Amino acid sequence: MGSRNSVHVESIWEFEKFLLDHNIPRDIICKYLEFQYADGTINNSGSKRLSSEEYKKNNQIKIDKINKYFNEPKIVLDAIERFVLSGNNSDYSISAIILGEPNNFLWITKKNILEILYSKINNYCSSPHFSELVCQPMNRCINRNEKYEKYRRYVQIKWYSLFDNIIEQMNNNTMKESGYGDFHANYGRK
């Protein structure tokens, strides 16, 4: 429930292995590691740490190159499977996502999740992402708080637009069921 929904967390090493398994070039993986740590290194050894916004100011071209590779259709489908539908350690897949509380919730099916995320591959985002799934460090720990330092080595996948995407999909489903979408398709209106 809520906003800025985290849908997956894994170590940077597992994430890097996922990228290598999908033939993402090493230089693109290094560009992602530079974003992850934002300290001028690819191994978390730099002295000056930047916030995400500070990093983006001077490195948006690198992030756009990352996104070119991350948003290839095959890798997006595999990312959806890994980050939303099954995880990286499960033999089972979810049937739906429920967003909300027991007495006040929205939900979408696995099929709808695939439709939503696959349809938004070409949406622009200034952060590394797979469709609507944004990649970021679990915590940048800019202030070097020892309690959170370890989280710099974890990638968190967030689905910031989950609520909006569910509402949009519910509206699309309603239009399809009512035949209203067919009417507009047949008469050239969208």
Side-chain angles (χ1 to χ4, degrees):
M1 62 182 269
S3 62
R4 303 183 303 170
N5 298 96
S6 178
V7 293
H8 184 84
V9 173
E10 67 182 42
S11 74
I12 189 65
W13 300 284
E14 288 294 318
F15 185 70
E16 186 175 353
K17 184 179 179 317
F18 171 76
L19 298 177
L20 286 168
D21 288 347
H22 285 83
N23 299 315
I24 301 295
R26 191 76 185 137
D27 68 306
I28 298 300
I29 294 171
C30 288
K31 284 176 178 41
Y32 180 80
L33 293 171
E34 289 173 9
F35 169 81
Q36 174 82 13
Y37 298 121
D39 66 358
T41 74
I42 62 169
N43 63 5
N44 194 29
S45 63
S47 58
K48 183 176 190 240
R49 297 178 178 176
L50 303 175
S51 70
S52 176
E53 293 309 313
E54 290 171 319
Y55 183 83
K56 288 180 195 180
K57 270 186 211 171
N58 296 317
N59 296 285
Q60 192 60 55
I61 291 171
K62 289 180 183 179
I63 294 170
D64 292 343
K65 286 180 183 175
I66 293 167
N67 287 333
K68 179 181 173 205
Y69 284 91
F70 281 17
N71 285 280
E72 288 293 323
K74 170 71 170 115
I75 193 167
V76 169
L77 287 174
D78 288 350
I80 295 167
E81 185 67 33
R82 181 184 184 94
F83 303 143
V84 181
L85 301 178
S86 297
N88 54 342
N89 296 319
S90 178
D91 295 330
Y92 303 98
S93 183
I94 65 169
S95 298
I97 288 181
I98 298 171
L99 180 68
E101 301 171 345
N103 294 324
N104 182 18
F105 63 88
L106 302 169
W107 64 281
I108 52 173
T109 65
K110 177 180 177 177
K111 179 181 178 233
N112 292 150
I113 293 164
L114 287 163
E115 287 173 0
I116 290 167
L117 293 174
Y118 197 73
S119 73
K120 301 198 179 286
I121 286 176
N122 294 320
N123 286 8
Y124 182 80
C125 179
S126 63
S127 293
H129 66 101
F130 301 90
S131 180
E132 298 285 279
L133 305 174
V134 177
C135 308
Q136 64 186 50
M138 192 169 178
N139 191 320
R140 285 199 182 274
C141 199
I142 295 170
N143 63 3
R144 298 179 185 274
N145 181 332
E146 286 184 31
K147 183 177 176 183
Y148 300 105
E149 190 69 27
K150 66 183 174 188
Y151 297 120
R152 286 178 56 77
R153 297 184 188 275
Y154 286 86
V155 175
Q156 184 173 42
I157 306 297
K158 290 207 167 191
W159 191 346
Y160 286 103
S161 59
L162 178 58
F163 176 81
D164 293 337
N165 292 149
I166 291 174
I167 295 296
E168 179 184 7
Q169 187 66 36
M170 289 172 64
N171 287 336
N172 290 343
N173 291 346
T174 300
M175 294 205 26
K176 285 178 193 173
E177 290 169 10
S178 70
Y180 190 71
D182 294 335
F183 174 82
H184 283 291
N186 291 334
Y187 293 97
R189 293 178 65 194
K190 305 260 179 188

